[in-house]
Amino acid sequence: MKILVITEQRQGKWNNTSFETLAAAQQIAAALSATVSVLVIGKGVDAFAAELAGKNVSEVLQVENDLLADYTPDGYCIALKQVIESAKADLVLFPHTYQVRDFAPKLAASLGKGMVGDCIGYRSEGGKLVFIRQMFQGKTAADVTFLGDGPWFASFQSGAFRADQVTTAASGAKPIQKITVELKAEQIRTKPLELFKEAKSAVDLTQAPLIVAVGRGIKAPENIPQAEAVAKAMGAELAASRPICDEGWLPMERQIGSSGQTVAPKLYLALGISGAIQHVVGMKGARTIVAINKDQNAPIFEIADYGVVGDIFEIMPALTEELLKAK
């Protein structure tokens, strides 16, 4: 089996979920004795390709074209279809990003194939891949397999795998194969404008390495500055469960969960969060979860790496003080 990973970069920066997907591909390859190729697409992406060449992959594919300098679904689909057909990949993996959701289903359909999106894991049954994806806001999970011949298409949810588990090449950098694609300006039917942002203060929590999140236990909006002080002392982003954002105590862009953002930080500090499934599905991929709640039976403790049963209003100022001392 040949696995092809499509990475994502934009405005000179990686989307870190690309490396989470590469980690998934490497693990699948190890389980099925497959090979992994990785692709970067755009304009002026030599540095990105060079970074990928240091990873444990069989080859790096680099697709460059002036018409790919800015993302468009038409440009990406036309270019990637040519690459996938020539590479003869059996399985094509993507990070489940907003951009991938925009073009990947169309790409799969253009090749007469289906796509399994937003997967949280996989397993191998007798050499056959079974993908796992959540349904009904994380209340249940479905096993999905592909019928027919490849290429098969799938994307992995942010946080499903850890980017730091990507293995590096044991014997030097892998070769970079530059691929030329046929692409004409008239084939691109849309004109890219400036990137969409909900507000000037909008934050992408998916890229935050440290997150402090508050739940109903914060009790009132006037108590949020205490949590903000903890976050500032840690150098973390402030987030919240849905009830806090529904009340307008924090903007919706700060919401974590099935109807908010899905995150996978190095550290997730949950303050007064009970651990409802709708919230947990958005943060369970965190590397380390620390929960503080006065209810010792709160569901959040079931997934926490470290749990503190106590009053957050006693702990937050003490924690802030100690963090500032440590600096």
Side-chain angles (χ1 to χ4, degrees):
M1 174 185 286
K2 183 176 183 179
I3 302 172
L4 177 62
V5 177
I6 310 295
T7 62
E8 180 175 315
Q9 56 79 28
R10 203 177 237 193
Q11 293 188 324
K13 295 181 179 179
W14 282 116
N15 186 314
N16 288 334
T17 51
S18 295
F19 293 98
E20 296 176 10
T21 306
L22 179 55
Q26 289 179 337
Q27 292 174 31
I28 293 172
L32 300 179
S33 299
T35 62
V36 177
S37 299
V38 61
L39 179 146
V40 61
I41 181 172
K43 176 65 177 176
V45 293
D46 287 343
F48 295 103
E51 184 175 351
L52 293 174
K55 308 303 180 184
N56 183 24
V57 296
S58 60
E59 63 178 350
V60 176
L61 307 180
Q62 179 178 342
V63 179
E64 289 223 24
N65 190 293
D66 290 341
L67 296 174
L68 298 173
D70 295 312
Y71 164 74
T72 61
D74 286 333
Y76 270 49
C77 284
I78 293 168
L80 290 175
K81 181 182 179 183
Q82 295 174 45
V83 176
I84 292 168
E85 288 177 332
S86 64
K88 300 189 183 324
D90 300 294
L91 174 63
V92 183
L93 297 179
F94 305 85
H96 193 73
T97 63
Y98 290 115
Q99 182 170 291
V100 165
R101 279 178 253 187
D102 187 44
F103 79 85
K106 175 185 175 181
L107 173 62
S110 71
L111 289 162
K113 305 297 179 181
M115 177 176 176
V116 182
D118 207 17
C119 299
I120 60 170
Y122 76 93
R123 66 176 184 274
S124 175
E125 291 184 351
K128 185 176 183 179
L129 273 177
V130 178
F131 290 90
I132 304 164
R133 66 184 308 274
Q134 293 175 326
M135 300 174 64
F136 306 111
Q137 294 188 329
K139 292 182 174 67
T140 187
D143 291 344
V144 186
T145 58
F146 289 100
L147 298 177
D149 297 328
W152 306 313
F153 294 80
S155 65
F156 281 111
Q157 185 182 107
S158 173
F161 293 84
R162 286 172 47 179
D164 63 348
Q165 292 182 341
V166 171
T167 56
T168 56
S171 56
K174 293 297 189 292
I176 298 174
Q177 181 181 349
K178 294 188 177 183
I179 299 177
T180 302
V181 295
E182 293 185 11
L183 184 60
K184 299 178 181 178
E186 57 266 26
Q187 293 176 295
I188 299 177
R189 299 168 295 173
T190 56
K191 180 181 179 181
L193 302 177
E194 61 180 320
L195 292 181
F196 171 77
K197 290 184 179 180
E198 292 184 4
K200 289 184 179 179
S201 60
V203 60
D204 183 3
L205 294 175
T206 64
Q207 305 300 309
L210 305 173
I211 292 177
V212 173
V214 296
R216 291 182 188 271
I218 203 71
K219 293 185 178 180
E222 54 265 28
N223 295 326
I224 286 180
Q226 293 186 55
E228 288 178 328
V230 175
K232 185 177 180 180
M234 288 176 55
E237 291 287 353
L238 184 66
S241 59
R242 179 171 179 172
I244 303 305
C245 296
D246 282 348
E247 291 290 341
W249 298 356
L250 283 174
M252 297 302 294
E253 68 197 49
R254 299 276 174 178
Q255 181 184 328
I256 302 293
S258 58
S259 55
Q261 297 196 51
T262 300
V263 299
K266 294 178 180 178
L267 174 65
Y268 190 91
L269 175 58
L271 300 172
I273 292 176
S274 63
I277 185 63
Q278 290 84 355
H279 182 76
V280 168
V281 297
M283 46 68 74
K284 61 182 175 57
R287 192 180 310 175
T288 302
I289 300 171
V290 179
I292 304 174
N293 199 298
K294 65 181 181 180
D295 179 7
Q296 63 179 0
N297 296 315
I300 192 72
F301 289 128
E302 296 178 8
I303 64 164
D305 298 287
Y306 300 94
V308 179
V309 178
D311 187 340
I312 61 171
F313 297 107
E314 295 178 358
I315 295 172
M316 285 190 295
L319 181 57
T320 301
E321 182 180 352
E322 292 301 317
L323 285 168
L324 292 175
K325 283 182 183 179
K327 286 187 176 182

